[in-house]
Amino acid sequence: MKEHLIVKVKSGSPADEAGIRKGDRLISLNDKPISDIFDYDFITTDISLDVGIKKEDGSEKIYHIDKDEDEDLGLIFPESLMDNYKSCYNNCIFCFIDQNPPGMRETIYFKDDDSRLSFLQGNYITMTNMKDSEIDRIIEYKLAPINISVHTTNPELRCSMLHNRFAGTILERIRRLYNAEIPMNGQIVLCKGINDGNELRRSLTDLLEFAPVMRSVSVVPVGLTKYRDGLCQLEKFNKEDSGQVIDIIEEIQEEAFKRYGIHFAHASDEWYITAEREVPEETRYDGYNQIENGVGMTRLLMEDFSNAVEEVLDFKLDKKRHKPRFFLRPHEKVYDDLLRKNRGRVVSSFSGVLATGSSSFVKKELKRLRPDIRFNVYPVQNKFFGPDITVTGLLTGQDILSTLKDKQLGDTLLVPASCLKAGEEIFLDDMSLAELGSALQVKTIIVKSYGIDYLRNIVGV
């Protein structure tokens, strides 16, 4: 039976009032063993609990606790999962972690394939290391949504792409979740000449049978760094290839919309940019539920920024009737204050070379509102991973510094949050945001990938 060290008991919580203390170990809830945080969260919704505790002296005691259904028991554990992360059993031909350079922090080389992180952090999992009992638990606890790395529904091809002889049962596992009505999202990493073309059409057609319980499937191009010695030789998608991928996806979208009223299959922004096509209108993204896979980020930024500009312009024309939602002081002096403040302000930012189109749109829209403000956006070529990596989120501090060191940055440098480690101000190469700002001698501000966040910080609110 697992024991879980308690590192803190919240003051005044039911556990605290019952006498449970820091240093005790949780061994059971209502006489059931606790594997991880999901067992703990599910059982502690009960209003009556028998909490099995092992004290520091080795003695065991049962604490009976009555509480409200939505009341937190009050126990804190060392790890958020109450367990170790599960590593990946696969050796995928497209794995990005295998393409990392040496000398980076240890956590960057860890391959996780843990279903629990799918629910907690939105990670995509292959389901190859899941036991039937784990799927049973997902169904029992109604955990959702689960994000699945499908890549292909062809059993033989999936085994080959993942280098795992157990990988071919993905449709059977998806069907179990579908029958239990567990919401899902899918992902396909596309490799040229392997799972594209008719294989892509087959995969999307197969997965469409699980809609609308499977809410969406994103298709993203394989990321290829310069560190691929000894790995499967993969090719970059060109303009013509990208257009063909979009055509297949839009064919499936049309069928999905007829049958279910959703577009279901989504191409990440890279496909449209590489194919030199306009990104789809906002309604085609079904609420942006694949935004973390780079699906619709360009459209969302453009729409959000344009809407914010329009609202401020409307407020300028009729201050008495309009109250702006986006700014900090909702009274009629707000726009006049903005005009007076930071007149002639110079602000800079940067992006991966893929995002130059949306950057141009932002600059054009800004001119409608504040033509006196100069906004520079500098494209940064990825020398760390190689020129084929073009997204902003994989830029390193050293490449940003190298590009910007001789540029006119003005008052402030806006740093996209996607470049930084979650919860920390550190780039992929371990350069800190403070080190970047000090080297460039400029004030740095982290901005989210929303148009309004950019507008606020460009204007200087």
Side-chain angles (χ1 to χ4, degrees):
M1 184 177 290
K2 279 189 176 182
E3 300 177 1
H4 302 280
L5 177 67
I6 298 168
V7 295
K8 181 180 179 181
V9 180
K10 294 180 181 178
S11 178
S13 66
D16 181 37
E17 293 179 355
I20 300 173
R21 296 292 175 255
K22 174 183 175 181
D24 292 346
R25 293 177 181 271
L26 175 68
I27 55 177
S28 67
L29 287 168
N30 288 346
D31 204 32
K32 296 178 182 177
I34 305 301
S35 297
D36 55 31
I37 191 64
F38 293 110
D39 288 335
Y40 177 84
D41 283 348
F42 185 78
I43 298 173
T44 55
T45 59
D46 290 351
I47 60 174
S48 181
L49 293 171
D50 287 327
V51 184
I53 293 292
K54 178 181 280 189
K55 307 299 285 186
E56 289 191 85
D57 63 6
S59 63
E60 295 185 4
K61 183 176 180 179
I62 301 294
Y63 291 84
H64 182 78
I65 297 176
D66 293 318
K67 65 178 191 62
D68 294 335
E69 184 176 2
D70 58 352
E71 189 176 9
D72 181 16
L73 183 57
L75 303 181
I76 306 296
F77 305 94
E79 302 90 15
S80 59
L81 279 181
M82 296 175 63
D83 195 14
N84 295 323
Y85 293 147
K86 292 184 178 179
S87 60
C88 183
Y89 292 170
N90 307 309
N91 187 21
C92 300
I93 62 172
F94 49 80
C95 181
F96 194 86
I97 293 175
D98 288 340
Q99 304 177 68
N100 277 319
M104 302 176 73
R105 59 179 177 267
E106 186 177 347
T107 54
I108 286 179
Y109 302 103
F110 179 73
K111 301 180 184 181
D112 77 76
D113 196 23
D114 197 319
S115 62
R116 297 166 299 185
L117 297 181
S118 183
F119 305 111
L120 292 174
Q121 300 176 7
N123 293 16
Y124 278 76
I125 59 168
T126 64
M127 300 185 75
T128 55
N129 68 354
M130 290 182 69
K131 300 175 182 177
D132 287 341
S133 59
E134 293 178 78
I135 299 178
D136 291 338
R137 189 171 69 151
I138 290 170
I139 294 170
E140 179 188 359
Y141 292 176
K142 300 188 184 304
L143 298 172
I146 183 168
N147 299 322
I148 305 170
S149 290
V150 180
H151 308 312
T152 178
T153 58
N154 179 332
E156 293 78 16
L157 179 58
R158 194 169 194 264
C159 290
S160 175
M161 290 186 70
L162 274 58
H163 283 160
N164 186 329
R165 62 191 179 93
F166 301 109
T169 61
I170 187 63
L171 285 179
E172 298 168 24
R173 297 187 161 217
I174 290 174
R175 183 165 283 106
R176 285 196 64 195
L177 297 170
Y178 171 77
N179 290 336
E181 298 185 347
I182 301 296
M184 297 171 276
N185 295 300
Q187 177 198 63
I188 294 175
V189 174
L190 213 61
C191 301
K192 185 174 178 177
I194 297 176
N195 62 336
D196 57 348
N198 287 331
E199 288 291 348
L200 174 61
R201 183 178 284 104
R202 168 182 172 168
S203 295
L204 291 176
T205 300
D206 287 345
L207 294 173
L208 184 58
E209 297 304 312
F210 300 110
V213 177
M214 178 165 277
R215 306 182 304 183
S216 65
V217 178
S218 62
V219 181
V220 302
V222 60
L224 301 175
T225 79
K226 62 184 180 182
Y227 301 97
R228 291 197 55 82
D229 290 346
L231 300 178
C232 177
Q233 294 303 304
L234 298 175
E235 297 180 50
K236 182 180 178 180
F237 288 93
N238 60 29
K239 177 181 176 180
E240 182 181 356
D241 301 327
S242 299
Q244 291 172 355
V245 170
I246 293 170
D247 290 342
I248 292 172
I249 291 171
E250 292 185 346
E251 170 191 319
I252 299 297
Q253 284 184 338
E254 185 175 350
E255 178 63 24
F257 198 76
K258 287 178 183 177
R259 290 165 61 177
Y260 305 110
I262 59 174
H263 295 87
F264 182 70
H266 300 279
S268 63
D269 294 3
E270 296 103 308
W271 298 114
Y272 289 95
I273 295 168
T274 304
E276 298 178 12
R277 297 188 187 182
E278 288 291 323
V279 294
E281 63 277 10
E282 188 170 35
T283 55
R284 290 255 298 280
Y285 288 107
D286 295 342
Y288 298 109
N289 58 6
Q290 287 271 5
I291 195 76
E292 296 300 327
N293 267 327
V295 175
M297 292 186 73
T298 302
R299 175 56 65 192
L300 179 60
L301 175 62
M302 293 165 66
E303 292 292 325
D304 194 15
F305 195 89
S306 182
N307 288 340
V309 168
E310 286 291 343
E311 182 160 344
V312 178
L313 288 174
D314 285 347
F315 179 69
K316 175 188 175 185
L317 293 174
D318 190 350
K319 297 176 187 175
K320 292 183 179 180
R321 286 197 306 109
H322 289 77
K323 289 186 177 181
R325 289 179 293 125
F326 295 127
F327 289 91
L328 299 181
R329 290 180 293 157
H331 57 77
E332 63 184 53
K333 288 185 177 182
V334 65
Y335 190 77
D336 292 335
D337 289 348
L338 289 176
L339 281 177
R340 284 192 293 269
K341 184 179 181 181
N342 297 330
R343 188 180 296 277
R345 174 176 166 88
V346 179
V347 184
S348 295
S349 188
F350 58 88
S351 70
V353 296
L354 191 71
T356 53
S358 57
S359 299
S360 298
F361 175 86
V362 167
K363 293 168 70 174
K364 181 180 177 181
E365 286 291 291
L366 180 65
K367 286 184 179 179
R368 299 170 53 215
L369 176 64
R370 290 295 299 269
D372 59 302
I373 290 181
R374 179 180 168 191
F375 182 46
N376 304 313
V377 183
Y378 298 105
V380 177
Q381 187 178 72
N382 201 319
K383 297 177 182 177
F384 189 85
F385 288 110
D388 290 337
I389 302 300
T390 57
V391 296
T392 304
L394 290 175
L395 293 175
T396 58
Q398 58 188 273
D399 282 343
I400 297 165
L401 175 60
S402 176
T403 300
L404 301 184
K405 63 182 179 181
D406 298 321
K407 299 292 191 296
Q408 296 296 318
L409 301 178
D411 307 296
T412 303
L413 177 67
L414 305 184
V415 178
S418 61
C419 296
L420 300 168
K421 184 179 179 182
E424 298 183 44
E425 297 183 358
I426 300 174
F427 294 96
L428 277 170
D429 58 353
D430 286 339
M431 179 184 287
S432 72
L433 183 61
E435 288 172 334
L436 178 68
S438 177
L440 294 173
Q441 291 295 292
V442 67
K443 177 184 177 182
T444 58
I445 295 179
I446 301 171
V447 288
K448 299 176 183 177
S449 56
Y450 305 120
I452 184 55
D453 205 25
Y454 271 97
L455 182 58
R456 279 176 168 152
N457 286 292
I458 293 169
V459 171
V461 177

